[in-house]
Amino acid sequence: MANEVILLDFWPSMFGMRTRIALREKGVEFEYREEDLRNKSPLLLQMNPIHKKIPVLIHNGKPVCESSIQVQYIDEVWSHKNPILPSDPYQRAQARFWVDFIDKKMYDAQRKVWATKGEEQEASKKEFIELLKTLESELGDKPYFGGDDFGYVDIGLIGFYTWFGAYEKFGNFSIESECPKLIGWAKRCLQRESVAKSLPESEKVTEFVSELRKKFVVE
Amino acid sequence: MADEVILLDFWPSPFGVRARIALREKGVEFEYREENLRNKSPLLLQMNPVHKKIPVLIHNGKPVCESMNVVQYIDEAWSDKNPFLPSDPYQRAQARFWVHFIDTKLYEPADKIWSTKGEEQETAKKEYIKALKVLESELGDKPYFGGDNFGFVDIAMTGYYSWFEASEKCGNFSIEPECPTLMASAKRCLQRESVVNSLHDPEEIVAFAFKIRKIYCV
């Protein structure tokens, strides 16, 4: 029986990007469906009744929710090529730790960089740069977070790179000058076909954030 | 080479409890080290520099942090007995989903039940019960979240089960009438040998909760 794979997603979502990348890494054919988050489809509400969020992966009619869980699922179902998680239990635990760190810390921290101004924004910028430096320190001199091979943590983080232009514009700072190695890593990831095909243009994301910012910040 | 397993932990922690249970389910010999959270050991700060929190599992000198990450690691490193996660990828994804739900929806309300009062506490109680009801609905008729076997989601929940009595006493409410089947599963889990050996008496946890409540809730 052929696999039917549908991805309910929203184009600027750094979480949706993870799942797109994972599917492409494995060469899985899938149907991408754009959701309007102000008018969620009945299918989204039915497939993710608990959180009502994207991305939702629907595999042969059965939903998998939460991006990091989806990436792990994709790795386990299509286990024949391009392993995403390492095989060693300790290395796996390290990879999970860092994606958990990204999940717990990055989203809220980055949001405050573009959705605030003044003193609150200054404090948010500092916090955000600290997070990026922690990640950069973990990357070290390795080409990817997983070492020589592109993997779980790289997939977990790369989507945020498309939002860097927005952070820099509204935060008025340069991420490259603070974290040059991280930028080098991001550019390396973008050379990968699965990533290049899954990430929107940075300028489009910045435009999107610009509209969004108007709702939160009165200039 | 014999395995050296050390667990840096704090006795009332609902997160530390998960790691203890997981190790005992696998029959792993380990050295339990009590941390004083107001005076963290150099080893804790060295082994978990990012979060500086317990539990930290140190296996042959190498640290694993974050309680459910520790539990998954234990499942994979000692894979010969008592698997916590199912073998089917879809079932595994479902188990991970529910652990994510537990860790994102129960944590704050549970915390606020012992550390706040008045309206804030009432709101926290409502949110807590609401989340427990969602979990109860997922449990359905099964003895455990894992089905017939105590598994990954049950281990995650047992941390919260160990604090049910403390939450009820601090919040002056009762969980059983709201979630009878969840409570039945909780009692089943709390009777398990690995769990009994990993927990202090409920009265001690209640006493601890009231002690810290005095500090946080003026």
Side-chain angles (χ1 to χ4, degrees), chain B:
Chain B
M1 184 183 115
D3 270 328
E4 185 203 53
V5 182
I6 298 168
L7 181 66
L8 305 182
D9 202 351
F10 178 53
W11 69 268
S13 165
F15 306 105
V17 136
R18 295 163 163 183
R20 290 169 231 162
I21 293 168
L23 287 165
R24 290 191 166 99
E25 284 286 321
K26 298 287 189 176
V28 175
E29 297 275 339
F30 67 99
E31 181 193 336
Y32 177 97
R33 286 197 202 168
E34 192 68 43
E35 282 285 331
N36 175 358
L37 298 186
R38 288 160 305 173
N39 187 19
K40 293 173 181 177
S41 72
L43 184 64
L44 172 56
L45 299 176
Q46 180 200 343
M47 291 284 152
N48 191 359
V50 174
H51 300 301
K52 305 175 175 53
K53 287 180 173 179
I54 57 90
V56 179
L57 182 78
I58 311 172
H59 186 197
N60 296 329
K62 300 200 291 187
V64 182
C65 306
E66 293 302 301
S67 64
M68 289 321 289
N69 194 26
V70 170
V71 173
Q72 256 189 118
Y73 173 75
I74 291 166
D75 200 28
E76 293 177 6
W78 289 277
S79 55
D80 49 311
K81 71 185 267 200
N82 283 359
F84 302 150
L85 275 162
S87 49
D88 170 68
Y90 188 74
Q91 297 306 325
R92 290 159 75 83
Q94 295 307 100
R96 288 179 176 133
F97 174 86
W98 287 106
V99 167
H100 177 264
F101 178 89
I102 289 162
D103 277 351
T104 47
K105 300 287 187 183
L106 290 185
Y107 181 79
E108 252 186 64
D111 207 63
K112 286 191 174 161
I113 288 170
W114 64 257
S115 65
T116 69
K117 58 183 182 181
E119 245 184 81
E120 205 180 345
Q121 194 193 46
E122 285 307 307
T123 305
K125 280 156 65 179
K126 283 196 179 82
E127 271 174 40
Y128 193 57
I129 292 290
K130 188 173 158 198
L132 291 180
K133 284 186 169 184
V134 174
L135 285 159
E136 188 177 59
S137 168
E138 170 58 23
L139 176 69
D141 290 325
K142 308 192 298 286
Y144 299 105
F145 282 96
D148 288 325
N149 298 314
F150 181 78
F152 194 59
V153 183
D154 304 287
I155 293 175
M157 273 309 287
T158 302
Y160 284 97
Y161 296 153
S162 74
W163 269 70
F164 268 6
E165 211 174 310
S167 300
E168 286 173 322
K169 296 222 159 96
C170 285
N172 195 29
F173 71 120
S174 178
I175 295 169
E176 184 149 18
E178 302 275 3
C179 303
T181 46
L182 186 69
M183 212 39 177
S185 185
K187 286 176 181 167
R188 208 171 280 124
C189 292
L190 289 166
Q191 279 161 15
R192 233 176 139 72
E193 195 184 335
S194 64
V195 177
V196 169
N197 289 337
S198 300
L199 280 176
H200 281 231
D201 278 335
E203 297 89 57
E204 284 183 60
I205 297 177
V206 172
F208 172 79
F210 274 102
K211 189 175 120 186
I212 50 172
R213 183 170 166 77
K214 272 200 197 122
I215 300 170
Y216 286 89
C217 179
V218 181

Side-chain angles (χ1 to χ4, degrees), chain A residues 27-188:
Chain A
V28 176
E29 297 275 337
F30 67 100
E31 181 192 337
Y32 177 97
R33 287 197 201 169
E34 191 69 40
E35 282 285 334
D36 174 359
L37 298 185
R38 292 157 306 175
N39 187 20
K40 293 173 181 177
S41 72
L43 184 64
L44 172 56
L45 300 175
Q46 180 200 339
M47 291 285 151
N48 191 359
I50 305 270
H51 301 299
K52 306 176 175 55
K53 288 182 175 179
I54 59 89
V56 179
L57 182 74
I58 310 172
H59 185 201
N60 295 330
K62 299 200 292 186
V64 180
C65 305
E66 294 303 311
S67 61
S68 34
I69 295 173
Q70 289 159 2
V71 173
Q72 286 181 84
Y73 174 78
I74 290 163
D75 199 30
E76 292 176 6
V77 171
W78 291 278
S79 53
H80 58 297
K81 73 183 267 198
N82 284 357
I84 292 172
L85 273 154
S87 50
D88 170 68
Y90 186 74
Q91 296 307 324
R92 290 160 75 83
Q94 294 308 101
R96 287 183 180 125
F97 174 87
W98 286 105
V99 170
D100 177 73
F101 174 86
I102 292 163
D103 282 350
K104 281 190 172 115
K105 305 273 191 181
M106 283 287 283
Y107 185 73
D108 287 340
Q110 61 86 38
R111 197 177 169 285
K112 286 192 271 187
V113 171
W114 59 261
T116 64
K117 61 178 183 179
E119 255 182 65
E120 196 186 349
Q121 192 188 43
E122 285 307 307
S124 305
K125 274 161 63 176
K126 280 199 180 77
E127 202 191 308
F128 184 66
I129 294 285
E130 276 309 306
L131 285 181
L132 291 183
K133 287 190 167 176
T134 302
L135 287 162
E136 192 180 55
S137 166
E138 171 57 23
L139 176 68
D141 288 322
K142 309 193 298 285
Y144 300 106
F145 280 90
D148 287 326
D149 297 315
F150 180 78
Y152 190 57
V153 184
D154 307 286
I155 292 176
L157 186 58
I158 191 60
F160 287 90
Y161 178 69
T162 60
W163 286 63
F164 277 14
Y167 308 148
E168 288 176 327
K169 177 174 176 172
F170 298 112
N172 194 30
F173 67 120
S174 160
I175 295 176
E176 182 146 21
S177 60
E178 300 278 358
C179 303
K181 278 191 174 152
L182 206 59
I183 299 297
W185 159 83
K187 290 180 177 166
R188 191 175 299 119

Side-chain angles (χ1 to χ4, degrees), chain A residues 6-24:
Chain A
I6 298 168
L7 180 64
L8 307 182
D9 202 347
F10 178 52
W11 70 269
S13 164
M14 57 285 263
F15 302 105
M17 289 174 211
R18 295 168 165 181
T19 312
R20 293 171 225 166
I21 294 169
L23 288 166
R24 290 190 169 105

